[in-house]
Amino acid sequence: MASVIRGFKIGVTTNARKINPDFAWQSRFHDHIIRNDRALKNIQRYIINNPLQWKTGEFHDYQEKK
């Protein structure tokens, strides 16, 4: 499975850098295989709730400071 993910990321990186030469994967990001329904529900909850915390998060003003 790791080789499939690695191949996918290589393909995405190659094509993304044609559009934006500065493309890079998010640092401190870890791929995660969803193994059961409970894990899926936890990830869905995270995806829904995480943006709600952006205004108070550490990187809220990151784009403006860049």
Side-chain angles (χ1 to χ4, degrees):
M1 181 57 85
S3 63
V4 172
I5 301 291
R6 185 172 35 257
F8 173 78
K9 289 179 82 170
I10 288 168
V12 169
T13 300
T14 301
N15 287 299
R17 287 190 177 153
K18 290 176 185 175
I19 298 167
N20 176 6
D22 296 327
F23 173 82
W25 290 97
Q26 178 181 345
S27 63
R28 298 180 300 156
F29 175 81
H30 302 283
D31 298 319
H32 183 77
I33 297 171
I34 302 169
R35 299 190 185 276
N36 57 44
D37 194 52
R38 182 177 178 195
L40 175 62
K41 297 289 183 203
N42 287 338
I43 291 168
Q44 288 172 329
R45 191 172 23 257
Y46 174 81
I47 290 169
I48 291 167
N49 292 323
N50 190 45
L52 301 174
Q53 300 177 34
W54 287 356
K55 289 199 177 218
T56 59
E58 175 183 355
F59 299 109
H60 171 63
D61 295 326
Y62 178 73
Q63 290 291 39
E64 289 112 29
K65 293 177 184 176
K66 205 170 164 183

